[in-house]
Amino acid sequence: MRVIICGAGQVGYGIAERLAAEKNDVSVIDTSPELIHAIMDALDVRGFVGHGSHPEVLEAAGAQNADMIIAVTLYDEVNIVACEVAHALFNVPMKIARIRAQSYLRPHYQDLFSREHLPIDVIISPEMEVGEMVLRRIAIPGAMDVVSFAENKIAMVAIECLEDCPVVHTPLSQLSDLFPDLPSTVVGIVRAGKLFIPRSVDRLEPEDVAYVVTTKDQVRRTLGLFGHEEQEATRIVVAGGGNVGLYVAKMIEQRQSRTKIKIIEANRDRAITVADELRRTVVLSGSALDQNLLLQADIQDADLMVALTNNDQVNILSSVMAKRLGCKANLALINNPTYQDLTKSLGIDAHVNPGAVTISRVLQHVRRGRIRAVHSVQRGAAEIIEAEALETSPLVGAYLRDLNLPHGIRIGAIYRDGQVIKPSGGSKIQPKDRVVIFALAEAVRQVEQMFRVSLEFF
């Protein structure tokens, strides 16, 4: 696949890294010579210095032969124009743009990006994507990562195995015998920093992180079996009233009437704007690093501190301060991968990486075959993929025990006619089933091949 990426920042780099590793033909455009030189030194990609919206730059990058353009620069208007030029002059088939300004995305303007007006095939709003991820973490305390599949009927949760976890040292095959009515499958384990696909004889160990696929209504029971009985937060303090903080507060007001929420916003004018847009939320103006202001927000009685400013250091330090002052738990937005490695030692319970959320969303549309959803984990070491089985798929018709699945793949759940099926050796996949698969990075291409339409079908 020939792909042009406009923007060599954290998100653009992450997408280029994944696509280049899969032997795609990738060109990256950015106005910064430093970023272009850095990405060319590190990855097998072509780099071009210039504006991604300029026709001559797109032409130099090979737009006339490109299958896709992914515009993820810092500027919405550049992303929009880059897609428009790619369509009008080069007829690029797939156009993806990152749009941050919420004014472009209001429901009554939804026709703006239609083929007749601004022909962009996929709009990605990082603020909304990250906001929804934060809301899922708030709703399911105790999980290190949460993502939904199959019309919200299936969930993948990442769970840390604590020292007193009831299921440690037990072979995974025995878990099915002990809890036959629990539709949960351990599909991946991180141990000592290394991710692997477990076998039925493997055991969970303390400090492991287990990736578990289960039904949405069994998530809390699954967490309980892993020793996580945390209660959902009803008193929340949010640091940062930007787009993400405002979105989270709005959704909590709409969805969780019992939850009391307070926002701390450093910019006074922005604080006033946020207060005008919210009904039940208390908005305080000042620094989230001001201990007196945190106490004024009753941090000592709060269930959860959610740090969502655009500054990693502020998010980390305010989260640590909140815990020291008596807040029960914290959740921080962290962009810098280096800082993410330090979260556990600093006392940060959970974190969200905005770049990873956006990259996962883009990959959903990059993947070939009948791929419905993608979620990247462990910085691209693996993906959780929801795919639709076709009549020509090699998975269809045979017992799972008889399938010679490639190394690095584990099936977590099958969704058929509104029902979730826990996979076993005696299960068969049928056409139109939606299959949730955990795949190591090196096996993703094979998953794509399993769910592509065969030419023989026609």
Side-chain angles (χ1 to χ4, degrees):
M1 182 184 291
R2 297 183 179 90
V3 182
I4 296 175
I5 300 171
C6 299
Q10 183 179 341
V11 172
Y13 185 100
I15 297 168
E17 183 177 35
R18 300 292 288 283
L19 295 182
E22 296 169 13
K23 308 303 180 184
N24 291 288
D25 183 346
V26 180
S27 298
V28 182
I29 301 170
D30 200 284
T31 55
S32 167
E34 292 79 12
L35 289 178
I36 289 297
H37 290 150
I39 202 168
M40 290 178 66
D41 288 343
L43 307 176
D44 182 17
V45 301
R46 294 182 297 155
F48 300 87
V49 178
H51 287 277
S53 57
H54 288 182
E56 67 274 14
V57 177
L58 285 171
E59 185 173 25
Q64 61 273 21
N65 297 314
D67 300 300
M68 177 181 297
I69 182 169
I70 304 170
V72 288
T73 75
L74 294 174
Y75 306 102
D76 292 352
E77 290 72 22
V78 172
N79 297 338
I80 291 170
V81 174
C83 290
E84 170 69 18
V85 173
H87 171 79
L89 297 184
F90 303 107
N91 199 28
V92 176
M94 172 64 78
K95 299 159 288 292
I96 299 175
R98 177 171 67 175
I99 305 294
R100 309 184 83 107
Q102 298 302 297
S103 58
Y104 284 123
L105 305 174
R106 290 176 180 169
H108 52 286
Y109 299 147
Q110 62 183 357
D111 198 39
L112 175 63
F113 298 107
S114 66
R115 183 163 289 274
E116 294 76 26
H117 299 124
L118 294 174
I120 300 176
D121 301 293
V122 179
I123 296 293
I124 295 175
S125 168
E127 283 79 7
M128 291 176 65
E129 299 287 342
V130 172
E132 286 297 330
M133 176 63 76
V134 170
L135 289 164
R136 287 197 293 270
R137 297 285 190 90
I138 292 172
I140 306 177
M144 298 180 66
D145 196 2
V146 183
V147 64
S148 297
F149 297 99
E151 299 171 4
N152 214 29
K153 297 290 179 62
I154 296 173
M156 186 285 298
V157 288
I159 312 170
E160 182 181 9
C161 299
L162 304 176
E163 198 70 44
D164 58 351
C165 176
V167 296
V168 296
H169 308 308
T170 304
L172 297 181
S173 58
Q174 288 187 22
L175 294 182
S176 297
D177 298 333
L178 292 170
F179 309 102
D181 62 331
L182 185 68
S184 300
T185 303
V186 178
V187 292
I189 297 175
V190 179
R191 179 174 297 159
K194 294 188 176 181
L195 175 66
F196 65 94
I197 303 282
R199 299 164 300 163
S200 58
V201 296
D202 287 326
R203 306 164 187 255
L204 291 166
E205 303 290 344
E207 298 188 6
D208 283 355
V209 174
Y211 285 92
V212 184
V213 174
T214 186
T215 57
K216 194 63 181 288
D217 58 1
Q218 291 292 329
V219 168
R220 290 196 180 278
R221 183 184 172 201
T222 301
L223 283 164
L225 290 176
F226 278 78
H228 290 274
E229 301 281 0
E230 293 91 337
Q231 297 299 309
E232 187 172 345
T234 58
R235 291 170 295 183
I236 301 173
V237 176
V238 174
N243 287 336
V244 177
L246 177 59
Y247 181 84
V248 168
K250 276 185 175 179
M251 293 302 104
I252 289 176
E253 284 191 345
Q254 291 178 21
R255 302 173 187 176
Q256 297 162 244
S257 58
R258 296 189 305 110
T259 302
K260 296 179 180 178
I261 183 168
K262 296 179 180 178
I263 291 181
I264 298 174
E265 166 54 41
N267 183 286
R268 181 172 178 79
D269 290 338
R270 177 63 181 177
I272 292 170
T273 300
V274 170
D276 288 342
E277 292 207 32
L278 298 169
R279 299 190 310 276
R280 296 186 288 108
T281 302
V282 175
V283 180
L284 304 174
S285 178
S287 171
L289 299 178
D290 183 340
Q291 180 171 315
N292 291 328
L293 191 60
L294 287 172
L295 293 171
Q296 187 179 337
D298 298 320
I299 196 69
Q300 67 277 11
D301 299 319
D303 299 313
L304 179 65
M305 168 71 158
V306 184
L308 302 175
T309 78
N310 57 8
N311 185 304
D312 284 355
Q313 290 94 327
V314 170
N315 292 341
I316 292 169
L317 290 173
S318 62
S319 297
V320 172
M321 286 178 63
K323 287 281 287 285
R324 295 263 175 94
L325 292 171
C327 183
K328 294 184 179 67
N330 55 34
L331 169 63
L333 197 69
I334 303 178
N335 287 278
N336 190 327
T338 305
Y339 294 151
Q340 293 165 22
D341 295 332
L342 303 173
T343 53
K344 189 172 181 180
S345 61
L346 292 172
I348 294 174
D349 300 306
H351 69 274
V352 172
N353 178 355
V357 174
T358 305
I359 290 169
S360 291
R361 184 80 165 81
V362 170
L363 288 175
Q364 176 180 337
H365 301 282
V366 171
R367 293 280 168 251
R368 301 188 180 196
R370 292 291 181 90
I371 307 299
R372 287 178 168 267
V374 172
H375 182 70
S376 178
V377 301
Q378 293 293 313
R379 299 184 193 170
E383 293 179 14
I384 315 287
I385 299 171
E386 178 193 342
E388 181 181 339
L390 301 167
E391 290 182 23
T392 54
S393 170
L395 297 178
V396 168
Y399 291 111
L400 293 188
R401 70 169 72 93
D402 297 330
L403 289 174
N404 186 22
L405 289 176
H407 176 73
I409 292 175
R410 187 171 174 88
I411 296 175
I414 300 167
Y415 183 69
R416 178 185 303 153
D417 298 328
Q419 301 297 316
V420 180
I421 301 169
K422 180 180 178 179
S424 66
S427 302
K428 285 184 178 181
I429 294 173
Q430 299 178 6
K432 297 186 179 180
D433 282 356
R434 283 149 70 170
V435 187
V436 176
I437 294 177
F438 189 92
L440 298 181
E442 59 268 24
V444 166
R445 182 61 61 86
Q446 291 164 295
V447 173
E448 289 181 298
Q449 293 297 328
M450 289 178 187
F451 293 94
R452 291 185 69 176
V453 177
S454 170
L455 290 175
E456 297 172 2
F457 185 68
F458 299 99

PDB file of all heavy atoms in Angstrom, residues 19-47:
ATOM      1  N   LEU A  19       3.269   1.409   9.783  1.00  0.00           N
ATOM      2  CA  LEU A  19       3.067   1.057   8.382  1.00  0.00           C
ATOM      3  C   LEU A  19       4.381   0.657   7.712  1.00  0.00           C
ATOM      4  O   LEU A  19       4.408  -0.256   6.881  1.00  0.00           O
ATOM      5  CB  LEU A  19       2.417   2.229   7.644  1.00  0.00           C
ATOM      6  CG  LEU A  19       0.997   2.603   8.103  1.00  0.00           C
ATOM      7  CD1 LEU A  19       0.451   3.743   7.260  1.00  0.00           C
ATOM      8  CD2 LEU A  19       0.073   1.404   8.036  1.00  0.00           C
ATOM      9  N   ALA A  20       5.467   1.322   8.076  1.00  0.00           N
ATOM     10  CA  ALA A  20       6.767   0.984   7.488  1.00  0.00           C
ATOM     11  C   ALA A  20       7.211  -0.406   7.940  1.00  0.00           C
ATOM     12  O   ALA A  20       7.798  -1.169   7.155  1.00  0.00           O
ATOM     13  CB  ALA A  20       7.812   2.027   7.873  1.00  0.00           C
ATOM     14  N   ALA A  21       6.929  -0.740   9.197  1.00  0.00           N
ATOM     15  CA  ALA A  21       7.306  -2.064   9.714  1.00  0.00           C
ATOM     16  C   ALA A  21       6.570  -3.174   8.971  1.00  0.00           C
ATOM     17  O   ALA A  21       7.056  -4.309   8.911  1.00  0.00           O
ATOM     18  CB  ALA A  21       7.006  -2.139  11.208  1.00  0.00           C
ATOM     19  N   GLU A  22       5.420  -2.848   8.395  1.00  0.00           N
ATOM     20  CA  GLU A  22       4.639  -3.833   7.635  1.00  0.00           C
ATOM     21  C   GLU A  22       4.932  -3.764   6.140  1.00  0.00           C
ATOM     22  O   GLU A  22       4.167  -4.273   5.315  1.00  0.00           O
ATOM     23  CB  GLU A  22       3.144  -3.593   7.898  1.00  0.00           C
ATOM     24  CG  GLU A  22       2.760  -3.823   9.359  1.00  0.00           C
ATOM     25  CD  GLU A  22       1.365  -3.328   9.695  1.00  0.00           C
ATOM     26  OE1 GLU A  22       0.595  -3.038   8.750  1.00  0.00           O
ATOM     27  OE2 GLU A  22       1.047  -3.230  10.883  1.00  0.00           O
ATOM     28  N   LYS A  23       6.042  -3.098   5.794  1.00  0.00           N
ATOM     29  CA  LYS A  23       6.545  -3.051   4.416  1.00  0.00           C
ATOM     30  C   LYS A  23       5.640  -2.276   3.458  1.00  0.00           C
ATOM     31  O   LYS A  23       5.604  -2.560   2.251  1.00  0.00           O
ATOM     32  CB  LYS A  23       6.781  -4.475   3.862  1.00  0.00           C
ATOM     33  CG  LYS A  23       7.638  -5.361   4.750  1.00  0.00           C
ATOM     34  CD  LYS A  23       8.996  -4.745   5.037  1.00  0.00           C
ATOM     35  CE  LYS A  23       9.841  -5.652   5.918  1.00  0.00           C
ATOM     36  NZ  LYS A  23      11.134  -5.032   6.301  1.00  0.00           N
ATOM     37  N   ASN A  24       4.888  -1.301   3.981  1.00  0.00           N
ATOM     38  CA  ASN A  24       4.144  -0.411   3.106  1.00  0.00           C
ATOM     39  C   ASN A  24       5.074   0.667   2.564  1.00  0.00           C
ATOM     40  O   ASN A  24       6.111   0.969   3.155  1.00  0.00           O
ATOM     41  CB  ASN A  24       2.992   0.248   3.879  1.00  0.00           C
ATOM     42  CG  ASN A  24       1.909  -0.738   4.262  1.00  0.00           C
ATOM     43  OD1 ASN A  24       1.147  -1.202   3.437  1.00  0.00           O
ATOM     44  ND2 ASN A  24       1.853  -1.085   5.543  1.00  0.00           N
ATOM     45  N   ASP A  25       4.693   1.254   1.448  1.00  0.00           N
ATOM     46  CA  ASP A  25       5.455   2.359   0.844  1.00  0.00           C
ATOM     47  C   ASP A  25       4.949   3.658   1.465  1.00  0.00           C
ATOM     48  O   ASP A  25       3.844   4.115   1.163  1.00  0.00           O
ATOM     49  CB  ASP A  25       5.237   2.353  -0.668  1.00  0.00           C
ATOM     50  CG  ASP A  25       6.050   3.428  -1.383  1.00  0.00           C
ATOM     51  OD1 ASP A  25       6.574   4.330  -0.711  1.00  0.00           O
ATOM     52  OD2 ASP A  25       6.152   3.363  -2.621  1.00  0.00           O
ATOM     53  N   VAL A  26       5.740   4.257   2.351  1.00  0.00           N
ATOM     54  CA  VAL A  26       5.290   5.399   3.154  1.00  0.00           C
ATOM     55  C   VAL A  26       6.101   6.647   2.824  1.00  0.00           C
ATOM     56  O   VAL A  26       7.334   6.613   2.806  1.00  0.00           O
ATOM     57  CB  VAL A  26       5.414   5.097   4.669  1.00  0.00           C
ATOM     58  CG1 VAL A  26       4.941   6.297   5.496  1.00  0.00           C
ATOM     59  CG2 VAL A  26       4.615   3.847   5.032  1.00  0.00           C
ATOM     60  N   SER A  27       5.383   7.737   2.567  1.00  0.00           N
ATOM     61  CA  SER A  27       6.003   9.054   2.406  1.00  0.00           C
ATOM     62  C   SER A  27       5.469   9.967   3.495  1.00  0.00           C
ATOM     63  O   SER A  27       4.260   9.977   3.768  1.00  0.00           O
ATOM     64  CB  SER A  27       5.674   9.651   1.037  1.00  0.00           C
ATOM     65  OG  SER A  27       6.181   8.836   0.000  1.00  0.00           O
ATOM     66  N   VAL A  28       6.363  10.757   4.107  1.00  0.00           N
ATOM     67  CA  VAL A  28       5.969  11.652   5.193  1.00  0.00           C
ATOM     68  C   VAL A  28       6.317  13.086   4.815  1.00  0.00           C
ATOM     69  O   VAL A  28       7.430  13.359   4.346  1.00  0.00           O
ATOM     70  CB  VAL A  28       6.672  11.275   6.516  1.00  0.00           C
ATOM     71  CG1 VAL A  28       6.200  12.189   7.645  1.00  0.00           C
ATOM     72  CG2 VAL A  28       6.412   9.816   6.871  1.00  0.00           C
ATOM     73  N   ILE A  29       5.361  13.990   5.025  1.00  0.00           N
ATOM     74  CA  ILE A  29       5.540  15.408   4.710  1.00  0.00           C
ATOM     75  C   ILE A  29       5.441  16.223   5.998  1.00  0.00           C
ATOM     76  O   ILE A  29       4.530  16.007   6.802  1.00  0.00           O
ATOM     77  CB  ILE A  29       4.461  15.889   3.715  1.00  0.00           C
ATOM     78  CG1 ILE A  29       4.517  15.089   2.411  1.00  0.00           C
ATOM     79  CG2 ILE A  29       4.607  17.388   3.437  1.00  0.00           C
ATOM     80  CD1 ILE A  29       3.333  15.343   1.485  1.00  0.00           C
ATOM     81  N   ASP A  30       6.359  17.155   6.190  1.00  0.00           N
ATOM     82  CA  ASP A  30       6.283  18.073   7.324  1.00  0.00           C
ATOM     83  C   ASP A  30       7.078  19.330   6.991  1.00  0.00           C
ATOM     84  O   ASP A  30       8.039  19.283   6.211  1.00  0.00           O
ATOM     85  CB  ASP A  30       6.831  17.424   8.603  1.00  0.00           C
ATOM     86  CG  ASP A  30       6.338  18.120   9.864  1.00  0.00           C
ATOM     87  OD1 ASP A  30       6.838  19.217  10.194  1.00  0.00           O
ATOM     88  OD2 ASP A  30       5.436  17.583  10.521  1.00  0.00           O
ATOM     89  N   THR A  31       6.680  20.438   7.595  1.00  0.00           N
ATOM     90  CA  THR A  31       7.393  21.698   7.356  1.00  0.00           C
ATOM     91  C   THR A  31       8.704  21.768   8.131  1.00  0.00           C
ATOM     92  O   THR A  31       9.529  22.632   7.860  1.00  0.00           O
ATOM     93  CB  THR A  31       6.513  22.900   7.754  1.00  0.00           C
ATOM     94  OG1 THR A  31       6.097  22.748   9.117  1.00  0.00           O
ATOM     95  CG2 THR A  31       5.295  23.008   6.853  1.00  0.00           C
ATOM     96  N   SER A  32       8.905  20.873   9.094  1.00  0.00           N
ATOM     97  CA  SER A  32      10.107  20.904   9.927  1.00  0.00           C
ATOM     98  C   SER A  32      11.192  19.991   9.341  1.00  0.00           C
ATOM     99  O   SER A  32      11.031  18.762   9.330  1.00  0.00           O
ATOM    100  CB  SER A  32       9.775  20.450  11.350  1.00  0.00           C
ATOM    101  OG  SER A  32      10.960  20.184  12.078  1.00  0.00           O
ATOM    102  N   PRO A  33      12.311  20.556   8.889  1.00  0.00           N
ATOM    103  CA  PRO A  33      13.408  19.709   8.397  1.00  0.00           C
ATOM    104  C   PRO A  33      13.932  18.767   9.472  1.00  0.00           C
ATOM    105  O   PRO A  33      14.314  17.628   9.169  1.00  0.00           O
ATOM    106  CB  PRO A  33      14.483  20.726   7.976  1.00  0.00           C
ATOM    107  CG  PRO A  33      13.738  22.013   7.749  1.00  0.00           C
ATOM    108  CD  PRO A  33      12.616  21.996   8.732  1.00  0.00           C
ATOM    109  N   GLU A  34      13.951  19.236  10.723  1.00  0.00           N
ATOM    110  CA  GLU A  34      14.457  18.406  11.819  1.00  0.00           C
ATOM    111  C   GLU A  34      13.611  17.142  11.989  1.00  0.00           C
ATOM    112  O   GLU A  34      14.134  16.034  12.148  1.00  0.00           O
ATOM    113  CB  GLU A  34      14.484  19.200  13.130  1.00  0.00           C
ATOM    114  CG  GLU A  34      15.500  20.342  13.170  1.00  0.00           C
ATOM    115  CD  GLU A  34      15.013  21.578  12.428  1.00  0.00           C
ATOM    116  OE1 GLU A  34      13.806  21.650  12.083  1.00  0.00           O
ATOM    117  OE2 GLU A  34      15.849  22.471  12.170  1.00  0.00           O
ATOM    118  N   LEU A  35      12.266  17.308  11.971  1.00  0.00           N
ATOM    119  CA  LEU A  35      11.391  16.154  12.132  1.00  0.00           C
ATOM    120  C   LEU A  35      11.518  15.182  10.956  1.00  0.00           C
ATOM    121  O   LEU A  35      11.517  13.963  11.141  1.00  0.00           O
ATOM    122  CB  LEU A  35       9.932  16.603  12.286  1.00  0.00           C
ATOM    123  CG  LEU A  35       9.562  17.287  13.602  1.00  0.00           C
ATOM    124  CD1 LEU A  35       8.102  17.722  13.585  1.00  0.00           C
ATOM    125  CD2 LEU A  35       9.813  16.350  14.782  1.00  0.00           C
ATOM    126  N   ILE A  36      11.639  15.718   9.746  1.00  0.00           N
ATOM    127  CA  ILE A  36      11.769  14.866   8.563  1.00  0.00           C
ATOM    128  C   ILE A  36      13.085  14.093   8.596  1.00  0.00           C
ATOM    129  O   ILE A  36      13.127  12.880   8.317  1.00  0.00           O
ATOM    130  CB  ILE A  36      11.653  15.691   7.263  1.00  0.00           C
ATOM    131  CG1 ILE A  36      10.201  16.168   7.077  1.00  0.00           C
ATOM    132  CG2 ILE A  36      12.111  14.889   6.063  1.00  0.00           C
ATOM    133  CD1 ILE A  36       9.194  15.051   6.912  1.00  0.00           C
ATOM    134  N   HIS A  37      14.171  14.778   8.966  1.00  0.00           N
ATOM    135  CA  HIS A  37      15.466  14.081   9.042  1.00  0.00           C
ATOM    136  C   HIS A  37      15.417  12.997  10.114  1.00  0.00           C
ATOM    137  O   HIS A  37      15.941  11.886   9.920  1.00  0.00           O
ATOM    138  CB  HIS A  37      16.576  15.088   9.346  1.00  0.00           C
ATOM    139  CG  HIS A  37      16.865  16.003   8.204  1.00  0.00           C
ATOM    140  ND1 HIS A  37      17.333  17.290   8.358  1.00  0.00           N
ATOM    141  CD2 HIS A  37      16.719  15.828   6.857  1.00  0.00           C
ATOM    142  CE1 HIS A  37      17.477  17.864   7.170  1.00  0.00           C
ATOM    143  NE2 HIS A  37      17.106  16.999   6.243  1.00  0.00           N
ATOM    144  N   ALA A  38      14.780  13.297  11.242  1.00  0.00           N
ATOM    145  CA  ALA A  38      14.708  12.322  12.338  1.00  0.00           C
ATOM    146  C   ALA A  38      13.915  11.088  11.933  1.00  0.00           C
ATOM    147  O   ALA A  38      14.321   9.949  12.216  1.00  0.00           O
ATOM    148  CB  ALA A  38      14.080  12.977  13.574  1.00  0.00           C
ATOM    149  N   ILE A  39      12.800  11.287  11.234  1.00  0.00           N
ATOM    150  CA  ILE A  39      11.957  10.144  10.866  1.00  0.00           C
ATOM    151  C   ILE A  39      12.619   9.316   9.762  1.00  0.00           C
ATOM    152  O   ILE A  39      12.509   8.091   9.738  1.00  0.00           O
ATOM    153  CB  ILE A  39      10.535  10.625  10.457  1.00  0.00           C
ATOM    154  CG1 ILE A  39       9.523   9.478  10.605  1.00  0.00           C
ATOM    155  CG2 ILE A  39      10.501  11.172   9.053  1.00  0.00           C
ATOM    156  CD1 ILE A  39       8.077   9.947  10.501  1.00  0.00           C
ATOM    157  N   MET A  40      13.365   9.974   8.870  1.00  0.00           N
ATOM    158  CA  MET A  40      14.061   9.240   7.819  1.00  0.00           C
ATOM    159  C   MET A  40      15.244   8.453   8.382  1.00  0.00           C
ATOM    160  O   MET A  40      15.583   7.373   7.888  1.00  0.00           O
ATOM    161  CB  MET A  40      14.531  10.197   6.725  1.00  0.00           C
ATOM    162  CG  MET A  40      13.401  10.785   5.892  1.00  0.00           C
ATOM    163  SD  MET A  40      13.987  11.965   4.650  1.00  0.00           S
ATOM    164  CE  MET A  40      14.923  10.904   3.553  1.00  0.00           C
ATOM    165  N   ASP A  41      15.891   8.997   9.404  1.00  0.00           N
ATOM    166  CA  ASP A  41      17.007   8.291  10.035  1.00  0.00           C
ATOM    167  C   ASP A  41      16.536   7.050  10.788  1.00  0.00           C
ATOM    168  O   ASP A  41      17.252   6.049  10.863  1.00  0.00           O
ATOM    169  CB  ASP A  41      17.744   9.224  11.017  1.00  0.00           C
ATOM    170  CG  ASP A  41      18.552  10.287  10.302  1.00  0.00           C
ATOM    171  OD1 ASP A  41      18.810  10.126   9.093  1.00  0.00           O
ATOM    172  OD2 ASP A  41      18.917  11.295  10.947  1.00  0.00           O
ATOM    173  N   ALA A  42      15.308   7.126  11.338  1.00  0.00           N
ATOM    174  CA  ALA A  42      14.828   6.040  12.199  1.00  0.00           C
ATOM    175  C   ALA A  42      13.995   4.999  11.457  1.00  0.00           C
ATOM    176  O   ALA A  42      13.980   3.825  11.849  1.00  0.00           O
ATOM    177  CB  ALA A  42      13.996   6.627  13.348  1.00  0.00           C
ATOM    178  N   LEU A  43      13.305   5.400  10.376  1.00  0.00           N
ATOM    179  CA  LEU A  43      12.354   4.505   9.724  1.00  0.00           C
ATOM    180  C   LEU A  43      12.643   4.374   8.232  1.00  0.00           C
ATOM    181  O   LEU A  43      13.278   5.245   7.629  1.00  0.00           O
ATOM    182  CB  LEU A  43      10.918   5.026   9.905  1.00  0.00           C
ATOM    183  CG  LEU A  43      10.445   5.328  11.325  1.00  0.00           C
ATOM    184  CD1 LEU A  43       9.034   5.919  11.280  1.00  0.00           C
ATOM    185  CD2 LEU A  43      10.484   4.074  12.183  1.00  0.00           C
ATOM    186  N   ASP A  44      12.126   3.309   7.656  1.00  0.00           N
ATOM    187  CA  ASP A  44      12.277   3.091   6.225  1.00  0.00           C
ATOM    188  C   ASP A  44      11.136   3.806   5.492  1.00  0.00           C
ATOM    189  O   ASP A  44      10.187   3.179   4.995  1.00  0.00           O
ATOM    190  CB  ASP A  44      12.256   1.588   5.926  1.00  0.00           C
ATOM    191  CG  ASP A  44      12.468   1.284   4.444  1.00  0.00           C
ATOM    192  OD1 ASP A  44      12.937   2.187   3.722  1.00  0.00           O
ATOM    193  OD2 ASP A  44      12.144   0.157   4.017  1.00  0.00           O
ATOM    194  N   VAL A  45      11.220   5.136   5.457  1.00  0.00           N
ATOM    195  CA  VAL A  45      10.201   5.967   4.801  1.00  0.00           C
ATOM    196  C   VAL A  45      10.900   7.042   3.972  1.00  0.00           C
ATOM    197  O   VAL A  45      12.081   7.339   4.181  1.00  0.00           O
ATOM    198  CB  VAL A  45       9.255   6.636   5.822  1.00  0.00           C
ATOM    199  CG1 VAL A  45       8.547   5.603   6.673  1.00  0.00           C
ATOM    200  CG2 VAL A  45      10.010   7.623   6.720  1.00  0.00           C
ATOM    201  N   ARG A  46      10.163   7.632   3.061  1.00  0.00           N
ATOM    202  CA  ARG A  46      10.665   8.795   2.326  1.00  0.00           C
ATOM    203  C   ARG A  46      10.140  10.054   3.011  1.00  0.00           C
ATOM    204  O   ARG A  46       9.005  10.089   3.488  1.00  0.00           O
ATOM    205  CB  ARG A  46      10.199   8.751   0.878  1.00  0.00           C
ATOM    206  CG  ARG A  46      10.799   7.593   0.092  1.00  0.00           C
ATOM    207  CD  ARG A  46      10.341   7.621  -1.358  1.00  0.00           C
ATOM    208  NE  ARG A  46       8.889   7.452  -1.454  1.00  0.00           N
ATOM    209  CZ  ARG A  46       8.156   7.884  -2.471  1.00  0.00           C
ATOM    210  NH1 ARG A  46       8.726   8.556  -3.456  1.00  0.00           N
ATOM    211  NH2 ARG A  46       6.864   7.673  -2.496  1.00  0.00           N
ATOM    212  N   GLY A  47      10.965  11.082   3.070  1.00  0.00           N
ATOM    213  CA  GLY A  47      10.564  12.316   3.741  1.00  0.00           C
ATOM    214  C   GLY A  47      10.619  13.507   2.815  1.00  0.00           C
ATOM    215  O   GLY A  47      11.501  13.593   1.938  1.00  0.00           O
TER     216      GLY A  47
END
